[in-house]
Amino acid sequence: MAVVDSMSNKKIPNLFIIGAMKSGTTSLHEYLNEHPDIFMSEVKEPGYFAECMNYYPKELAWYESLFEDVKDEVIVGESSTNYTKLPICTDVVEKIWEFNPDARFIYVMRNPVGRVISHYWHGVKYGDERNDTLAAIKQKPEYVCFSDYATQLEPYIERFGMDKIYILTFESFISDPVTELKSIFDWLGVDSGVAIKNAGSARNALPKSFKKVKGSGWLHD
C-alpha cells in the first residue's frame, strides 16, 4: 500500500524519478503512471525538495495536494530532475530522507555528450541560452556537472543504499522500452505483465528547428 504520513494521515510518495535531465524521464514518468498499481503526480518536476528552483510553491500543503487522488496504488511517485543537479541544488537528499526514509529512486543515465547537447538545445528552446555551444559549456559548469552521474548519485547511495536505487540508461530505454519497463515493475513489486500503450514514443522531445542563437559554434548549423 502507499505510504501514509502518520502525522497528517495523507499518502505521500515512496518513489522519485530523480534524473538525469534530458534522459527520457518525462516518458518514463508517463509510462509508469499507466500502471494500475502506480500513481505518478500530474505535475512533473514539482521540485519540492530542491530549494534552488522555484517553478512551483514550496508549501507542504501544495505538495501533498499532488497526491490527494491516490487510492489503492502501491507505488506513489513524482519526477524531478532538479533532485540531481549538484552543485546547484544541495541538501535535497537529506530533505527527502526526513520526509520518507523508505523512499526509492530511479535514475536514468545518458551518453554524457548527448545529454549535454540536448541540455544546451533545451536552453535554446526556452530562451535561457543565447551563446553558441562551446561558449555555453565553458561558461556554465552545469552542462558538464549534470552529466557527472557518479557525483549526482553518491549522496543517494550513501544515505539510502544501493538497493533503493534503480539505474538504467536512456539508450537501453529507447531501444527496448517494454523490456526495461518490465524490469522496473519487477523491482517495484508490481505486476510486470501490464502492457503500457505507446511505449517507445518520445515525450517532451525537442522540435526539429530552433530560433537562431548568437554565434556559429559546434552543432549550431
Side-chain angles (χ1 to χ4, degrees), residues 7 17 23 51-52 57 60 65 70 75 79 85-86 97 113 121 134 137-138 143 149 167 169 182 184 194 197-198:
M7 298 295 291
I17 299 177
S23 297
E51 294 294 334
C52 60
L60 179 59
S65 74
V70 175
I75 303 298
S79 304
K85 287 187 177 178
L86 293 171
W97 172 265
V113 175
W121 285 113
L134 290 180
I137 293 172
K138 290 178 180 179
Y143 283 117
Y149 305 131
I167 300 174
T169 68
K182 286 181 179 293
I184 293 172
V194 172
K197 297 179 181 178
N198 301 316

Side-chain angles (χ1 to χ4, degrees), residues 16-18 25 29 40-41 43-47 77-81:
F16 298 86
I17 299 177
I18 54 177
T25 58
H29 179 102
M40 300 298 291
S41 62
V43 173
K44 184 185 179 284
E45 305 283 351
E78 59 118 316
S79 304
S80 297
T81 60

Side-chain angles (χ1 to χ4, degrees), residues 37-54:
D37 292 327
I38 300 176
F39 178 99
M40 300 298 291
S41 62
E42 183 175 353
V43 173
K44 184 185 179 284
E45 305 283 351
Y48 174 74
F49 299 99
E51 294 294 334
C52 60
M53 303 294 183
N54 295 304

